[in-house]
């Protein structure tokens, strides 16, 4: 059995130099891919501010705003990944349109848990014919905080 080793870079950077350093480190360490996030900071903030149970703080909103990557930036990062020999992945947030926008850049799709019940998003990912991974963080028999990824579209 072969495992896919994917490093989540998500919001763990401040500059393009950080991004490139982490991609080079991932390649040096033997990772198969690196994963970023494709979202609108404004949409996340609006949704979370309406959520009475949100755990998001102003500090978290600041990080989200600072690490939002546009499609052009993601395309540039994908090119750097290609030159470095590491597969590029990006998790689209909230909309099927983001799935369709990111599709030309990725070999597989990953849907985060918060969007796993968004039928339009999951369908858009499955319609690409590429492998689709859904994240979950809780399942009976697992301790809280443990997670699994389920692959769809075999």
């Amino acid at each position: 059995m072969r495992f896919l080793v994917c490093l989540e870079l998500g919001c763990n950077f401040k500059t393009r130099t950080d991004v490139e350093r982490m991609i080079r480190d991932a390649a040096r360490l033997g990772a198969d891919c690196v994963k970023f996030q494709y979202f609108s900071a404004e949409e996340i903030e609006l949704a979370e501010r309406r959520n009475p149970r949100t755990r998001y703080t102003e500090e978290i909103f600041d990080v989200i705003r600072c690490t939002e990557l546009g499609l052009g930036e993601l395309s540039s990062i994908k090119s750097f990944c290609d030159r470095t020999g590491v597969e590029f992945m990006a998790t689209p947030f909230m909309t099927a349109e983001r799935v369709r926008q990111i599709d030309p850049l990725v070999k597989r799709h990953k849907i985060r848990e918060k969007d796993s019940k968004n039928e339009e998003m999951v369908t858009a990912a499955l319609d690409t014919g590429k492998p689709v991974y859904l994240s979950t963080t809780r399942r009976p028999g697992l301790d809280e905080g443990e997670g699994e990824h389920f692959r769809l579209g075999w």
Side-chain angles (χ1 to χ4, degrees), residues 86-143:
V86 177
E87 180 183 336
F88 169 84
M89 286 181 72
T91 300
F93 281 37
M94 301 175 131
T95 69
E97 182 58 27
R98 281 197 191 87
V99 172
R100 289 186 283 276
Q101 289 171 338
I102 204 72
D103 182 60
L105 302 179
V106 299
K107 293 180 181 178
R108 62 193 92 232
H109 288 279
K110 155 105 176 13
I111 305 294
R112 67 186 183 133
E113 180 183 31
K114 280 189 174 186
D115 293 320
S116 65
K117 292 182 181 164
N118 181 330
E119 188 175 337
E120 187 181 359
M121 275 189 78
V122 174
T123 299
L126 289 171
D127 284 349
T128 68
K130 296 175 181 177
V132 176
Y133 298 83
L134 294 178
S135 285
T136 65
T137 54
R138 292 186 189 93
R139 192 177 124 195
L142 292 179
D143 293 330

Side-chain angles (χ1 to χ4, degrees), residues 7 10-11 21 24 29 78 95 104 132:
L7 301 182
C11 293
R21 178 186 45 79
R24 281 192 301 274
L29 294 169
K78 189 233 188 278
T95 69
V132 176

Side-chain angles (χ1 to χ4, degrees), residues 47-61 64 114 137-138 144-145:
E48 288 301 325
R49 290 196 186 279
R50 284 189 224 121
N51 177 359
R53 297 184 335 198
T54 190
R55 294 182 183 170
Y56 285 48
T57 63
E58 288 306 316
E59 182 179 37
I60 291 171
F61 289 132
I64 290 169
K114 280 189 174 186
T137 54
R138 292 186 189 93
E144 186 166 334

